[in-house]
């Protein structure tokens, strides 16, 4: 099958690598740390998440948060 301008690719997993490299570059430049909590950068999480889950947890999929979806995506 030939690709066209309308061809869609499932690149979701590739985004994980790109995000990890970008974050590692910020760490290398001293802009953030893998040990920083997400509450330092993102508002709206309860303190039990914001103050405990780190950038490292998010990058290694070990935050314990499960699958996060928007309210409309998971609603019926």
């Amino acid at each position: 099958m030939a690709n066209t301008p309308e061809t869609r690719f499932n690149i979701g997993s590739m985004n994980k690598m790109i995000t990890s490299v970008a974050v590692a570059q910020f760490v290398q430049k001293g802009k953030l740390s893998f040990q920083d909590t997400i509450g330092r950068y993102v508002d709206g999480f309860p303190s039990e998440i914001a103050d405990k889950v780190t950038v490292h947890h998010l990058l290694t999929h070990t935050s314990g948060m499960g699958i996060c979806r928007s309210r409309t995506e998971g609603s019926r």
Side-chain angles (χ1 to χ4, degrees), residues 5-31:
E6 288 79 33
T7 301
R8 292 185 176 197
F9 297 93
N10 188 3
I11 63 167
S13 291
M14 287 177 53
N15 289 336
K16 295 173 191 173
M17 275 190 300
I18 294 166
T19 300
S20 295
V21 169
V23 169
Q25 289 176 336
F26 280 120
V27 170
Q28 190 175 38
K29 292 178 181 181
K31 303 281 184 182

Side-chain angles (χ1 to χ4, degrees), residues 34 52-66:
F34 289 121
K52 292 183 178 133
V53 175
T54 65
V55 172
H56 176 264
H57 289 131
L58 295 178
L59 291 175
T60 59
H61 312 286
T62 58
S63 68
M65 291 174 52

Side-chain angles (χ1 to χ4, degrees), residues 31-51:
K31 303 281 184 182
L32 60 85
S33 168
F34 289 121
Q35 287 72 40
D36 288 344
T37 60
I38 62 170
R40 181 172 179 176
Y41 302 101
V42 183
D43 294 330
F45 284 101
S47 62
E48 61 267 13
I49 294 173
D51 298 337

Side-chain angles (χ1 to χ4, degrees), residues 69-76:
R69 295 190 173 127
S70 68
R71 289 184 179 176
T72 55
E73 185 181 338
S75 302
R76 291 183 180 225

